[in-house]
Structure formats: C-alpha cells, structure tokens
Amino acid sequence: MDYLEGLNPEQKAAVQQIKGPVMIIAGAGSGKTRVITYRVTHLIRNGVDPFNILVLTFTNKAAREMRERIMHLVGTEAKNIWMGTFHSVFAKLLRVEADKLGYPNNFTIYDTDDSKSVLRAILKEMNLDDKLYQANFVHNRISAAKNNLISWQEYQQNDQIQADDHSTGRGHLGKIYEMYVNRCYRAGAMDFDDLLFKTNELLKTYPEVLNKYQHKFKFLMVDEYQDTNFSQYLIVKKLAAVNENICVVGDDAQSIYAFRGANIQNILNFEKDYPDLKIFKLEQNYRSTQNIVNVANSIIANNKEQLKKNVFSEKESGDKIKVMRAFSDNEEGKLVAEDIMHQRTTKGLKWHDFAILYRTNAQSRSMEEALRKLGMPYKIYGGLSFYQRKEIKDLIAYFRLTFNPNDEEALKRVINYPKRGIGDTSVDNIIVSADQHGITPWEVIINSAKYLNRAPASLPAFATMIQSFQVLTKTQNAYEAALYIAQHSGLLRDLYEDKSVEGLNRYENIQELLNGIKEFSEREDLEEKGLDVFMQDVALLTNDDNDKDKDADTISLMTIHSSKGLEFPQVHVVGLEENLFPSQMSLNSRSDLEEERRLFYVAITRAESKLTLSYATSRFKFGTLISCEPSRFLDEIDAQYLELDFTARPESTQKLSFNDERNAWTKREDTFSKPKTPVKTTSILAKAHVPSPGFKPSDTSNLQVGMEVEHERFGFGKVISLEGNKPDIKATIFFKEIGQKQLLLKFAKLNIINS
C-alpha cells in the first residue's frame, strides 16, 4: 500500500472509499489528479477488473496523464481501463453499436468547420439570408438543442421554441435543423454533439444495450463534474443506476462553462440524486502561496451558490498581490511587459514562468504590442490548432474519404484539389443528381455515365484513385497508407512545388503530420495500427494535443477560460474593469455574475508564487475611447492582501485601502480631465437617448465640420473637427447631453440630420 503513504488524511480517505456514491470536492491545487489516479489504482489492487472501470475526463491531456501514472503503479493492466474524454469514450461505444442507429461503424466525425459548411450549403439551397441566418448562430442553436436532448422533431413541435424563432424572424430554424440531421446521416457522419446525443438515444431506445454497459462499467469516475451538461449528466446517471459505484470529482468554484451548456446544478445537487453519498473535501492547496489562496477565498466567498469549503495553504505567505493602474489599455500593456522584464531579471526566472490572462481575446493586442517593443518572446494559446490548418485538413479529408466515401464534406474538399478539372459547377451537378435520385454523391461519381449528362473527363480517374486507396489501407499500417495517399493524391507534390515561405511551412506541416503517424505506427501498446484507428483518435483531438512548441521558453498569453487546469509561477490578470471583467453580458442575473466571479477565482488560482492584477482607466472600444471603472471584484478582495502600485501618474498619495485609493483617484481624475473650455455634462445616471423613429446610420464618407448628427446612444450633436486620413478619420463631436466625444467614423453609427 506504499502508494497511499504520500497522501494527506482526506486524500487517503477519498482514495480508499471505493464502494457506493462518492463526491470529492477538490479545491484548486489540491492534488485532484493524484487522488483520481490513486483511487483507480486502489480499485485494481483490490481486485476490480480494469475492463469494468470507466473514467471520464474533459481533455485528452488529462486522460493521457492519468493513464500514464496508473500504468506506472499497476503496469499494463491500465491499458484495459475505459478512460478518456466523454466524446472519445462514447465515440468508441457508438462505433460498436452504430448499426442499431443506422450508421456505419466507420462513421465520420464532423468538426465545427464541417458542420458550418453543411449548414451554409443548406442555407444556400433554401435561399435564406445568410446575415439573418448566420452559420455560427444556426450551429450554436442546433448544438444547444442537442445538448438539451431536443431532437429536430421535438424542436419543430415545441410551441415556445417556435415562438422564439418567429419573434426573431428566424422561423426556418426547425427546418434547417431537420435538413442538417438528414444531410449528416446521408454522409454517414456525426458531429461532436451527436456523440452524446446519439449515446443518449441508444441507451434510451435499446434497454439491452443500456443493461450491457451498466454491468460492464461497475465503477465510474467523472473528473471536472462541475463542467457536465444535461446530456452528459443523463448518460452518467443511467450507466451508474445498477451498481451506484460512482465517484465524481470537481470544484463548484471552478464552474466556468455555462456558455457551452455546463450546468453547475449537477454538482450542487449531486447529493439529491444519491442520499447515501459520502463527501470528501480536498482543501489544502499545494500550488499557491498563502496570500494568493486568501485572496481567492475572499473573492469566492461573495457567491451565494456554492459548496462550502475552507481552502488553505501551508506554503509561505508570499508577496502581496500587486494592483497596477494604467491610463489606457496600451499603457497597461507597457506596465505589464516592464514588470515581467523586471521580475525575470531580478529573480532569475525563465520566460515560460510568466502568464498573462485576459477575459477576451481582443485584449491580447495591447499586450502583444508591448512585448514586441521590448523583444520579449510570447505565444498566444487557444489559437489555431495544428489539426485545423488547411493543408492538414486537406490530407485528412483524403483519409476520411478513403474510409467513408459517403463523407460529402471530405469529398467537396478534395475532389478538385490538387486541380483536376472538376470545378464547382460539376460538383453542384453531382450533388443535385444525388438529391434527385435519393443517393449519395459518391454513388453518382462511380456511376457517372448513368447519372450525369456531361461528366468531367477526370471524374472516373478520381473514383479509381480513391478506390485504390481503400484497397491499400486494408494491408498497410497507418504510416505506409498515409504516405501513399499523400503522394498519389498529388497533394504532397503540389505543396513541394510551392517555394514561397507559406508553401514551405505548409509542406513542413504535412511532414510533421506524417511523422506523428509514423510514431503511432510504431507504438508497442497498440495491437491495431491501421490508418482508420489513427483517424478515430484524430477526430477528437484538441488544441493541446499536438503542440510542437509546448516546451518553448515563451510568455504565455491566453484567455482565462483557456488557462483552466494550468499553473504558472507568476500570473498577470489584466483588464479588471467593470463591463469587461465582469463582462457586461453577465450583469443581468446573479447566476451570470457568480459565474464571472468563479472565472476570476480560476484566474487567481493559476498563480503559484506571485499574482499581479491590473486595469486601465480608459480603453478603446469599437474605435471610441471610453472611460473605465475598476472592477467590483477588486473591491471584494480583503485589503490586507493587496499592494497598490498606482505610480502611473506623477503625484502620489499616502497608502490607503483600495476603495479609499480608488475614490481619491476618481476625484483627481475629475481635475485632470477638466477641459479648458467648459462643456455641458450630465450624470452617468442621465436618461439614455432613444433614437428617433426610423433612425438609420448615414454614409459618413463626406461628413464635414458644422454638420448636425444623431448618434443612437449619445443623442444629437454637432461636428467640431475632423482629423486623420481615410479609412481612419476621427470626428470630434459635441453632443448636447453628454458633451464632447471623439469617434472613429468607420465604426461610429451617425445619422446626418442636415449639412
């Protein structure tokens, strides 16, 4: 039992409780991964067959790390555990049972781009306004429906949903949903949401399948349970219903994904589902200093909906949390960059010891500019995944088409790349013929003489090529097959002949993909090493699963959402301003505001030894310079843990509490911002301007000084001056109600009243 010796008493108790329903509330930095891996190890050491253990995570990275640790403790038996993300585990289950739902076992998994491409084609066929029915909006609407287990039939029959759609002028959404589902089915494809939606359908429709997996998965563990949505919750509840050996691990204080369907009530109400539940609280934070933990506690204490716990740290007290104030977002970037440079130089740190976290991606601009000016290396995380690059998606589309020739999105992507004389008109004719005859486009292609009046001369050769790939993959391993397809499709040659910098990068990326496939083909822990097995994994990879630069010595820039699960010695959280953080969108309800506070909690607890917070008193937004108020979250921090660095302006004041300092600063702001020529101003509580009936923004390309205008928010005003060159002309306008404003014309929505 030596693996239990390094655990604290609460961790040890959680590991040893293997029977019945268990909830482990794991505070930030409390050794959650260790407890999960040791608990699985304890199950196996106590005679549980690994084939009967199901462990569900939210990232491939977490699953991979856990499996490696368990293998170190119990050996190769760990390979037999069903462990992975919800999507990967249930994709595996669906491949076994797919025929019951009318899908092929080698069904394609559509990513978001594929799904949006299908939707754009449907919108075009239906002649719908793609501005009203934006593919992003439609995709999100369908995704939300599936995650709430609403089929297209139920969607169309639900009066409330139909009323909502018609009230926004989008009455065709139900029909689009129906066509989208049918189009994916015809292509033998499921999207990401289907992997859970179809699993629920399978378990509901086929009791014998549910019974099979209830008895197979005798022990269930779910990581990050606070992030589960309704669909995931139901799957887990059904599978655990017979044995009730279910253990969920999570932290309600880190529930930050409501925007993608996560329901915090799943963890808050878990005890209602299992009254005989045993609860263990992991409250010791091994990551952060006492000051950082205390700040996090003082913030999250303001939330009403929470599972109470007392997180503590036995590390040193550490530095106080520094709060920096800047005039503008650009100055904030400068202050952050200079502070990182100072810390690195004086403390002998590496660049990768620092992270800059922000609420929205747009905030990275000012940070990037400041870092570049000082020659400081950085990397933005959460950007384009390796597997989302065009050249990678092109080659993978060839792989997809080889295994599932009915995959319409893959077909459209490669049928004329590299160019082979099969243009858009020919592709449209193929699809129209398929629709008319109730068959797939692939069936039209392999019988082109029968279904097409004028088929491109190269179409039969394309069909023969794909069929040759199908034959080859049955006898070759993944690497041999992938290399053959890359060469004989003409893709590799096309990229090699492009000698531009971009072309060379694309060619190198393809080589990197082939290298990854070769590594896969040489893995000793896999019995099956075909390209089809590799493709099943690739379809479910995320941004962190193929990061060639993960060990690079660079400063990390990312949104707070992207930082979940990570840790850094020093963290800067920037943009702590009202309407930015907390977001303006979160101020309509307590639940939304509490989620923003949990997001701030996550940001704070990424820091190990030093945490710095900053805000700007003004920031450009949509081309307009706006005044900013410090975030309410700063007010909620116990002042004893803060160190105020308000040296951005030359005059200094005595050390005050944050609120007093802010109030004093606000008074000085009035003095600094007082214009030489008095202008009429009103309270910020003044009644908002109501646009005139029929208000419509004018063409401002010929706007001149002296013209009277109306702004939809600022009201009526007169143009005082114009400066700059097109398209970046700035207009200074005196508005009757709020005084003088400077607006960037390309963004400002002005109605010219008279000239």
Side-chain angles (χ1 to χ4, degrees):
M1 292 291 184
D2 56 330
Y3 58 93
L4 298 175
E5 291 178 3
L7 300 174
N8 67 37
E10 196 71 6
Q11 290 175 330
K12 188 174 181 179
V15 165
Q16 291 180 307
Q17 182 62 49
I18 59 178
K19 288 281 188 178
V22 173
M23 178 163 67
I24 302 173
I25 303 170
S30 62
K32 171 174 69 75
T33 302
R34 185 185 223 194
V35 169
I36 294 173
T37 53
Y38 282 19
R39 191 172 186 276
V40 174
T41 298
H42 196 64
L43 286 170
I44 296 171
R45 293 275 184 95
N46 280 271
V48 176
D49 190 331
F51 281 102
N52 297 141
I53 300 173
L54 171 63
V55 182
L56 297 168
T57 69
F58 273 84
T59 67
N60 294 297
K61 182 180 177 184
R64 189 168 56 244
E65 182 181 342
M66 288 179 196
R67 190 185 296 276
E68 287 171 357
R69 290 194 192 186
I70 296 168
M71 281 184 68
H72 180 71
L73 292 167
V74 303
T76 56
E77 278 291 289
K79 296 177 185 178
N80 301 326
I81 303 166
W82 277 58
M83 177 183 286
T85 64
F86 275 87
H87 291 90
S88 64
V89 165
F90 295 118
K92 180 179 176 181
L93 186 151
L94 284 169
R95 290 198 186 280
V96 176
E97 312 290 349
D99 59 309
K100 294 180 176 63
L101 299 173
Y103 282 81
N105 296 109
N106 63 344
F107 61 83
T108 297
I109 299 174
Y110 277 175
D111 64 15
T112 303
D113 286 347
D114 295 321
S115 297
K116 290 178 183 176
S117 177
V118 174
L119 288 169
R120 279 190 286 268
I122 292 170
L123 295 172
K124 185 178 179 182
E125 290 171 24
M126 295 178 69
N127 293 315
L128 294 174
D129 182 352
D130 60 5
K131 291 185 174 59
L132 182 61
Y133 290 91
Q134 291 181 329
N136 271 344
F137 175 86
V138 178
H139 178 261
N140 290 338
R141 186 75 169 169
I142 293 173
S143 176
K146 287 184 178 180
N147 284 321
N148 284 288
L149 302 183
I150 299 171
S151 66
W152 66 262
Q153 294 95 333
E154 292 166 321
Y155 190 101
Q156 292 180 2
Q157 294 164 8
N158 186 298
D159 292 339
Q160 183 61 55
I161 291 175
Q162 292 305 305
D164 289 345
D165 286 351
H166 283 285
S167 70
T168 61
R170 299 186 178 95
H172 294 289
L173 281 172
K175 184 62 179 176
I176 297 170
Y177 186 5
E178 177 185 355
M179 292 179 68
Y180 173 74
V181 169
N182 291 333
R183 194 66 55 88
C184 290
Y185 182 77
R186 184 179 78 178
M190 295 188 194
D191 64 20
F192 265 50
D193 298 312
D194 282 329
L195 298 176
L196 302 180
F197 184 87
K198 295 294 182 184
T199 299
N200 268 296
E201 181 183 330
L202 182 72
L203 299 180
K204 180 181 178 181
T205 310
Y206 296 92
E208 71 278 13
V209 174
L210 173 60
N211 183 64
K212 170 184 172 182
Y213 289 103
Q214 283 175 333
H215 287 84
K216 177 178 178 60
F217 302 133
K218 296 177 181 177
F219 292 85
L220 278 74
M221 287 194 71
V222 186
D223 188 18
E224 304 285 11
Y225 189 68
Q226 76 280 351
D227 293 335
T228 52
N229 60 27
F230 178 62
S231 182
Q232 292 161 329
Y233 163 79
L234 272 189
I235 292 171
V236 170
K237 195 166 188 294
K238 285 177 182 175
L239 291 176
V242 171
N243 297 293
E244 289 201 349
N245 293 323
I246 178 171
C247 173
V248 301
V249 187
D251 181 7
D252 58 296
Q254 298 185 65
S255 178
I256 60 173
Y257 294 116
F259 68 93
R260 67 184 191 198
N263 186 357
I264 192 174
Q265 298 304 321
N266 291 349
I267 192 168
L268 294 179
N269 297 329
F270 191 67
E271 193 168 5
K272 292 181 180 178
D273 288 335
Y274 302 96
D276 56 343
L277 177 71
K278 289 185 169 58
I279 300 175
F280 301 91
K281 295 182 180 181
L282 309 184
E283 298 174 309
Q284 183 170 354
N285 182 310
Y286 292 93
R287 176 189 301 154
S288 307
T289 62
Q290 291 180 33
N291 277 330
I292 292 171
V293 169
N294 290 337
V295 164
N297 287 343
S298 68
I299 284 291
I300 206 64
N302 291 276
N303 272 9
K304 291 189 175 181
E305 279 206 303
Q306 61 173 298
L307 299 169
K308 293 293 183 182
K309 56 186 173 296
N310 179 35
V311 179
F312 66 94
S313 171
E314 292 185 351
K315 296 181 75 173
E316 68 280 1
S317 296
D319 293 343
K320 287 191 173 185
I321 281 63
K322 184 160 71 172
V323 180
M324 300 194 304
R325 174 188 50 218
F327 300 137
S328 64
D329 45 353
N330 284 337
E331 191 193 36
E332 183 185 31
K334 177 174 176 287
L335 291 175
V336 169
E338 289 174 347
D339 187 66
I340 291 175
M341 183 71 84
H342 174 73
Q343 292 293 324
R344 180 177 181 270
T345 304
T346 58
K347 296 187 177 178
L349 299 171
K350 300 286 188 182
W351 294 119
H352 63 236
D353 292 327
F354 299 90
I356 302 174
L357 310 182
Y358 34 77
R359 179 64 182 82
T360 67
N361 278 307
Q363 291 170 257
S364 72
R365 179 198 58 80
S366 56
M367 297 297 137
E368 288 187 78
E369 288 183 6
L371 295 173
R372 279 201 300 266
K373 284 179 182 176
L374 294 177
M376 300 163 70
Y378 66 89
K379 179 178 179 181
I380 295 181
Y381 286 77
L384 188 68
S385 162
F386 177 80
Y387 286 96
Q388 292 300 314
R389 299 177 192 276
K390 179 187 180 301
E391 60 277 10
I392 300 300
K393 294 197 74 164
D394 288 340
L395 182 51
I396 285 178
Y398 271 109
F399 299 163
R400 281 168 45 178
L401 195 62
T402 298
F403 293 108
N404 178 13
N406 293 332
D407 184 341
E408 192 171 316
E409 291 307 302
L411 175 68
K412 289 192 293 187
R413 190 172 189 101
V414 302
I415 193 169
N416 199 39
Y417 177 71
K419 291 189 181 300
R420 51 176 64 91
I422 308 175
D424 291 345
T425 301
S426 297
V427 174
D428 289 343
N429 290 338
I430 292 169
I431 292 173
V432 168
S433 180
D435 290 339
Q436 289 173 344
H437 293 91
I439 58 178
T440 66
W442 177 250
E443 290 177 278
V444 173
I445 290 171
I446 59 176
N447 297 287
S448 57
K450 177 180 178 181
Y451 292 112
L452 296 174
N453 293 328
R454 293 177 59 189
S458 57
L459 196 59
F462 172 75
T464 301
M465 178 182 71
I466 298 300
Q467 289 168 330
S468 72
F469 295 165
Q470 292 171 337
V471 172
L472 179 86
T473 55
K474 292 177 181 177
T475 58
Q476 304 294 313
N477 68 29
Y479 175 69
E480 293 164 342
L483 181 61
Y484 183 91
I485 293 172
Q487 291 172 334
H488 289 79
S489 64
L491 184 147
L492 207 57
R493 182 178 62 252
D494 187 71
L495 292 176
Y496 180 77
E497 291 174 351
D498 182 354
K499 300 301 183 183
S500 67
V501 174
E502 294 80 7
L504 290 172
N505 284 336
R506 287 193 288 267
Y507 183 77
E508 288 173 359
N509 285 335
I510 290 293
Q511 294 297 336
E512 183 66 25
L513 174 62
L514 292 172
N515 290 340
I517 298 174
K518 187 169 180 62
E519 287 179 21
F520 170 85
S521 301
E522 294 173 352
R523 280 174 55 180
E524 295 181 359
D525 61 320
L526 294 176
E527 292 182 10
E528 296 184 15
K529 301 178 183 179
L531 188 57
D532 56 335
V533 180
F534 177 82
M535 287 298 297
Q536 290 173 21
D537 290 339
V538 165
L540 296 158
L541 291 178
T542 54
N543 284 11
D544 62 1
D545 291 305
N546 193 283
D547 185 0
K548 293 185 290 182
D549 303 319
K550 61 185 176 183
D551 297 321
D553 189 19
T554 56
I555 300 165
S556 299
L557 274 66
M558 66 188 79
T559 64
I560 301 168
H561 282 100
S562 297
S563 75
K564 178 95 183 302
L566 303 178
E567 56 188 44
F568 303 90
Q570 298 210 12
V571 171
H572 279 263
V573 185
V574 302
L576 277 156
E577 299 139 31
E578 282 293 293
N579 299 322
L580 180 56
F581 198 15
S583 163
Q584 187 172 15
M585 302 292 288
S586 72
L587 304 181
N588 297 322
S589 70
R590 176 175 296 279
S591 62
D592 289 345
L593 179 59
E594 292 202 349
E595 171 133 341
E596 285 289 293
R597 191 176 284 113
R598 293 194 295 269
L599 189 60
F600 187 35
Y601 178 88
V602 167
I604 291 169
T605 53
R606 298 312 94 200
E608 297 172 359
S609 59
K610 188 170 181 61
L611 172 68
T612 304
L613 311 175
S614 62
Y615 68 93
T617 58
S618 64
R619 185 178 295 272
F620 270 99
K621 189 174 183 181
F622 303 121
T624 302
L625 189 66
I626 61 169
S627 296
C628 303
E629 178 187 349
S631 170
R632 70 186 69 191
F633 294 155
L634 291 171
D635 292 338
E636 295 173 357
I637 299 175
D638 192 325
Q640 66 176 307
Y641 305 123
L642 296 179
E643 171 196 339
L644 306 180
D645 183 5
F646 287 2
T647 56
R649 286 209 162 145
E651 82 291 358
S652 60
T653 63
Q654 60 184 359
K655 289 289 181 182
L656 304 170
S657 70
F658 182 79
N659 285 319
D660 291 339
E661 177 67 34
R662 187 176 68 160
N663 291 337
W665 183 259
T666 302
K667 291 175 183 175
R668 293 197 305 280
E669 284 288 327
D670 294 340
T671 303
F672 272 96
S673 61
K674 194 172 290 180
K676 295 176 182 177
T677 304
V679 296
K680 181 180 178 182
T681 60
T682 60
S683 164
I684 58 171
L685 299 177
K687 184 178 179 182
H689 173 70
V690 178
S692 302
F695 175 88
K696 184 179 180 182
S698 305
D699 177 4
T700 57
S701 59
N702 294 314
L703 189 71
Q704 296 177 17
V705 172
M707 286 184 173
E708 293 183 2
V709 297
E710 180 185 7
H711 186 278
E712 59 183 348
R713 284 196 298 119
F714 303 146
F716 297 97
K718 189 172 185 176
V719 181
I720 298 173
S721 66
L722 296 166
E723 60 180 274
N725 300 312
K726 292 181 180 180
D728 298 315
I729 296 177
K730 295 177 183 176
T732 302
I733 302 172
F734 179 82
F735 291 100
K736 295 177 181 178
E737 296 300 323
I738 65 166
Q740 193 168 297
K741 284 277 186 183
Q742 190 176 64
L743 307 177
L744 199 59
L745 287 186
K746 65 182 178 183
F747 294 118
K749 294 181 178 179
L750 299 172
N751 177 28
I752 300 174
I753 299 171
N754 64 56
S755 53

